[in-house]
Amino acid sequence: MLVSGGKVGLKHPRGIAIGEDGSFLITSGSTEQLMKLKEDWTLLKQIGKSGDVAAQFKGIRSVKISPAHMYYVCEQMNHRVQVFDEDLNHVCSFGKIGKKLGEFNYPTDVAFDEMGQVYV
């Protein structure tokens, strides 16, 4: 990721989501970060680095905004989904490697139904 004068240039973007306020979220595969930007590409906030604790990522992929305005981020190598609020504060994580309910093998994306249920 390149930052110049508050503007962001991306290297290896993986996912993008656009908020109702016009801001957008981008996941960066090269830096293992989640970034929130204004419409004009001004960086509002970024979080993350390579790792396996809250707000760290390995194999970051998609980001989606839930009907409740929470941000869901899939990580392939940690086999989990992390959830953040609109200020990019970590709320919770779920998933681990496996084949049982609630376990994942390299998750890449999430979706929501009209009731707000999460599908990975």
Side-chain angles (χ1 to χ4, degrees):
M1 179 187 69
L2 306 171
V3 179
S4 175
K7 304 284 181 159
V8 176
L10 295 171
K11 186 176 179 181
H12 302 119
R14 298 287 184 211
I16 187 167
I18 301 171
E20 290 179 4
D21 64 355
S23 67
F24 57 101
L25 302 159
I26 296 179
T27 58
S28 171
S30 62
T31 61
E32 300 288 2
Q33 291 182 316
L34 173 63
M35 293 164 276
K36 186 172 184 176
L37 301 104
K38 289 182 179 180
E39 291 179 45
D40 67 358
W41 284 77
T42 301
L43 182 65
L44 294 171
K45 187 172 183 179
Q46 67 185 20
I47 60 168
K49 63 181 181 178
S50 185
D52 58 10
V53 299
Q56 293 182 354
F57 308 101
K58 277 189 184 170
I60 195 170
R61 289 295 181 255
S62 66
V63 58
K64 293 288 171 58
I65 303 172
S66 76
H69 307 284
M70 303 298 277
Y71 304 153
Y72 285 68
V73 179
C74 279
E75 298 175 77
Q76 283 191 316
M77 302 310 291
N78 282 332
H79 308 280
R80 69 178 176 186
V81 176
Q82 292 194 61
V83 183
F84 299 89
D85 66 17
E86 292 180 300
D87 294 320
L88 301 187
N89 297 307
H90 184 263
V91 175
C92 68
S93 300
F94 60 92
K96 64 180 182 176
I97 191 166
K99 295 182 180 182
K100 297 178 184 171
L101 186 63
E103 297 176 340
F104 310 118
N105 285 299
Y106 308 101
T108 58
D109 206 359
V110 300
F112 307 96
D113 66 16
E114 59 278 350
M115 301 296 289
Q117 292 190 27
V118 182
Y119 297 86
V120 180

